Structures are given as structure tokens and as C-alpha cells.
Amino acid sequence: MNPPKRLRTTDNEAEDRGAVDVSVVVPMYNASCWLDECLQAILHQDFTGTMELSVFDDASTDDSRNVVERWRERLEARGISVVVSGHNFAQPRGVGYAKNKAISQSCGHYFCFQDADDVMLPQRVRLQYEASTLHPNSLIGCKVQRVPEGSTERYTRWINTITQDQLITQVYTSHGPTVVMPTWFCSRNWYLKVGPFDEGGKGVPEDLLFFYQSLRQGTESLVTNERLPGNQQRLEELPAPIQETVQVISSVSRETIWKLRVDFLQERVLNQWESFTIWNAGKQGRKLYRSLSPTNQKKVKAFCDVDDNKIQKGFYTYEESKQRPKPKIPVLHYKDASAPFIICVKLDMTGGVLEENLNSLQLKEGKDYYHFN
């Protein structure tokens, strides 16, 4: 394959280049120490269609730009065109801004999102491209491996075991998007319908906001870990199409994430229910109750729990309420409570007790209950 001509790096010229099948979208900020491994993995993709690498440098102060340039010749010799740009503001503008800029200068029909500190296995682009052509109105995800092994064990297990149905039912948990951002793959048309990413910068969960908006726009399906319709390949047959390095502490506050989750839960679930029970009479359950709109607070018919001390108190009084008399919500044993439930107990943290209790009631997730924690 003849290498393409060296590409210029200004945003306005993306539409002047010939379109490619897949643009690998890489927002970059001080990623020098990870880039060699990241770019080598892109070089070794077994995808036979046309590809480009679109990198936007968000005011790096290390030699990240130089590292990418050192890889340009090898990538172009492989037929992967390279476009790199950035800005020279004193401070980074944020991941959302960098993603949008990398996309605006790209010319792919599909986007493969790649964090600069992650590594994708050789099959990733091929498998996700095949899935995305079947599901053009979708976000396609895949399994991950965490490096070092064993880090964020519960979260990694959740990513790699979530079912197709739970991709929709568990969108309200504190884990964040059920299709995790470092694994996203989608069509340009879907990005244009849903996006762009929020450019609020530090403190803004641009991936969660985009994910929620994707659901609002009626994403056809969120395909990951399950057999791909019309395709005999299974993503779960791979050890993991992405290796993700754990090294970043989120700049987004827990309270910001909490409010977004509560608002989306109310929008998508609670506003449609006439009444419900909060499963957990402790701190998290009471916090959820206090965070609800007055209308949805009135729909809470009870808290339920397994803790005898909480149950024996008989009720929870909402002391901060301006209502008179103050609301008193009954506290029941879970066997005496009735569905539907919002579960405010952390998944995979009770040695299987929560899951056994739910199964004993023969409830259906997404109809009789949703997980919130």
C-alpha cells in the first residue's frame, strides 16, 4: 500500500481530504510516557479498511506532540494517515473540547475513541467497525483489561460482565456510562446527532452527558460483550480489545455526578411511576429521597432494609422538609415491601446477599427495580 501524502493539520481542511472508513480520535494532554505503546497498538490493527489517526493536543507541556510526529512515517507507511493539531493557551481546555477538535479535523465515517494512555488489541477496530455498520445508531463498546492487574477490581468486573439488558437498566449507577468511554466506537452521523461533547472543562463529566443524550436520542442498541447480531464473532472471545492504564483521579466531583444521575433517574423512570420503594433506609437511601423533586418524594411509599435496628424505628422523618407535619416514611423489611424498587445498595459488595434477596422476590430488573448505587 502506498503511503498517503503528508497531511496538513488545520481544522478547515478536513473536508478537503478523501473520507476514510475509521478515524481514531485521540485527545492528548501530557501523555508522552504512554504514547509509544498506544500508537504501536494503532499501527498493528488488523482492520483492512482505510484509517486515519486524528490527534488534538490540549496544551501539553511535555513532548507529546514530538512523540506523535516521530510515529507519523511508520503510520503513514502502513496506510494510516495522520492529522495533528493543538492550541497554545496557557491552560488545557478539557477533554470534551479536545475530542470535539479532533473530530472536527477528521474525515472518517466512523470514530474509534482512544485515550492516549490506553492500548487496544489488534482486533478492536475491525470488530467494532463490523458491529457499528450493523448498528449505525449505537455506541459500541467492548471489554477491558486494567493495568496494573487487579486495580479497580469491582468496576472492571462490572464492565466485563454486564449483560445486554443491563446496558440500559444500570445507567443510573455510580459506575457511570454502561458503555465505558475508553471503548466507544460510533458512526459520524450518530455523533453529529447526539453531540458535540460538553466543553465545560475540568469538573464536567463530558462522557456521561454525551451518554445520557445518546439515550435520549433513542440509541438503537448499546452493543458490548454479547454476540453481535448478524456476525459470528463475539467480542467476549477476546481477552480484551482494550488495555486501560489506571493513573488518573477524576476531576469531577461526586456531587456533580450524583445530581446528574438523580435527574436522569427522575426523567427516565420515576416520573413515569405512581409510587415506589427505596431499598436502603440508611445514608444513601435517605440521601436519594432528599434529592428528589417534591413530586417524586410524595411517591415514596416506604424504605426497606434488612437491618433490624432501622426497621424497628418504624419510619424515617424528613426533618429538613418545610411541610407541616413533616413527612414520615415507613421503614419495612424488604419482604414486607412492594415493588417497584430503587436499589440504593452497592452492587457486588454484600457477598451475594443483596442479589439473593432480589432473586427471592422473583423481580425483573428494569421493570420491578433499578439499581442506583
Side-chain angles (χ1 to χ4, degrees):
M1 182 180 296
N2 294 326
K5 296 179 180 179
R6 188 186 280 295
L7 298 174
R8 293 171 289 182
T9 60
T10 57
D11 293 352
N12 295 334
E13 294 172 7
E15 62 185 23
D16 295 332
R17 307 194 307 271
V20 297
D21 294 322
V22 177
S23 294
V24 180
V25 175
V26 181
M28 183 174 69
Y29 174 69
N30 287 349
S32 174
C33 61
W34 298 290
L35 278 170
D36 282 332
E37 193 173 3
C38 173
L39 297 174
Q40 181 173 346
I42 294 171
L43 180 71
H44 289 159
Q45 289 299 297
D46 64 12
F47 179 62
T48 57
T50 53
M51 288 175 59
E52 74 170 354
L53 171 66
S54 180
V55 179
F56 186 84
D57 180 24
D58 192 19
S60 293
T61 57
D62 64 4
D63 66 340
S64 293
R65 291 279 286 273
N66 292 334
V67 174
V68 175
E69 288 299 334
R70 289 200 298 267
W71 277 88
R72 181 188 288 272
E73 185 176 350
R74 278 174 284 182
L75 289 164
E76 292 183 345
R78 163 68 173 77
I80 301 172
S81 54
V82 179
V83 57
V84 185
S85 68
H87 67 78
N88 295 313
F89 299 115
Q91 298 295 327
R93 300 285 296 273
V95 180
Y97 176 83
K99 287 174 183 172
N100 289 334
K101 296 296 282 185
I103 287 171
S104 69
Q105 70 190 16
S106 71
C107 58
H109 292 302
Y110 292 85
F111 298 138
C112 176
F113 291 93
Q114 174 69 20
D115 285 355
D117 61 343
D118 292 344
V119 176
M120 52 175 150
L121 297 189
Q123 309 96 323
R124 182 195 173 191
V125 171
R126 171 173 56 84
L127 290 179
Q128 291 191 302
Y129 176 80
E130 291 170 356
S132 198
T133 56
L134 294 173
H135 299 272
N137 298 325
S138 302
L139 288 175
I140 309 298
C142 61
K143 288 186 174 184
V144 301
Q145 292 176 333
R146 290 291 237 177
V147 179
E149 186 177 354
S151 56
T152 61
E153 183 176 354
R154 286 179 57 247
Y155 177 62
T156 304
R157 182 163 55 245
W158 177 76
I159 293 171
N160 291 335
T161 59
I162 193 168
T163 68
Q164 190 72 29
D165 289 340
Q166 288 170 336
L167 291 170
I168 302 299
T169 62
Q170 294 193 6
V171 298
Y172 314 102
T173 70
S174 58
H175 284 322
T178 50
V179 182
V180 294
M181 176 64 214
T183 76
W184 284 5
F185 193 108
C186 71
S187 69
R188 176 181 291 271
N189 287 339
W190 188 246
Y191 165 83
L192 292 174
K193 181 176 182 179
V194 175
F197 289 100
D198 190 288
E199 297 185 359
K202 185 176 181 180
V204 175
E206 85 293 332
D207 56 344
L208 185 62
L209 290 170
F210 188 98
F211 184 69
Y212 282 171
Q213 186 60 19
S214 186
L215 292 173
R216 291 187 182 102
Q217 291 292 335
T219 184
E220 175 187 318
S221 59
L222 303 167
V223 182
T224 182
N225 295 335
E226 297 288 313
R227 182 179 294 279
L228 306 178
N231 192 330
Q232 295 304 306
Q233 277 287 349
R234 294 170 63 98
L235 290 183
E236 68 266 35
E237 290 176 354
L238 301 178
I242 290 181
Q243 293 179 342
E244 184 174 21
T245 303
V246 180
Q247 56 86 27
V248 178
I249 299 175
S250 175
S251 63
V252 183
S253 75
R254 292 183 178 181
E255 288 307 311
T256 297
I257 297 293
W258 176 275
K259 185 179 186 309
L260 286 170
R261 290 168 51 219
V262 171
D263 290 349
F264 200 60
L265 177 70
Q266 293 189 114
E267 173 190 332
R268 306 281 290 191
V269 178
L270 302 186
N271 289 349
Q272 283 71 53
W273 282 356
E274 294 183 358
S275 63
F276 62 96
T277 300
I278 295 177
W279 189 308
N280 185 349
K283 181 178 178 181
Q284 293 295 303
R286 297 195 302 269
K287 181 179 179 181
L288 173 61
Y289 173 84
R290 293 193 300 269
S291 302
L292 297 175
S293 68
T295 298
N296 284 324
Q297 285 179 351
K298 293 177 181 178
K299 296 180 182 180
V300 179
K301 54 189 173 182
F303 290 90
C304 72
D305 213 294
V306 296
D307 186 329
D308 288 336
N309 291 329
K310 295 185 178 74
I311 296 168
Q312 288 173 6
K313 291 180 180 179
F315 55 84
Y316 163 68
T317 303
Y318 181 26
E319 297 289 353
E320 295 85 358
S321 175
K322 295 180 180 179
Q323 293 184 44
R324 294 295 182 270
K326 296 177 181 179
K328 290 187 176 182
I329 300 91
V331 178
L332 309 174
H333 191 277
Y334 78 90
K335 289 184 178 179
D336 298 321
S338 57
F341 298 95
I342 297 298
I343 311 295
C344 289
V345 181
K346 289 185 178 181
L347 285 163
D348 199 17
M349 284 288 283
T350 62
V353 173
L354 170 66
E355 290 75 12
E356 289 178 6
N357 291 339
L358 283 171
N359 289 337
S360 72
L361 299 179
Q362 297 183 322
L363 303 174
K364 178 176 175 57
E365 185 173 358
K367 175 178 179 292
D368 301 312
Y369 70 91
Y370 284 89
H371 285 284
F372 182 74
N373 258 24

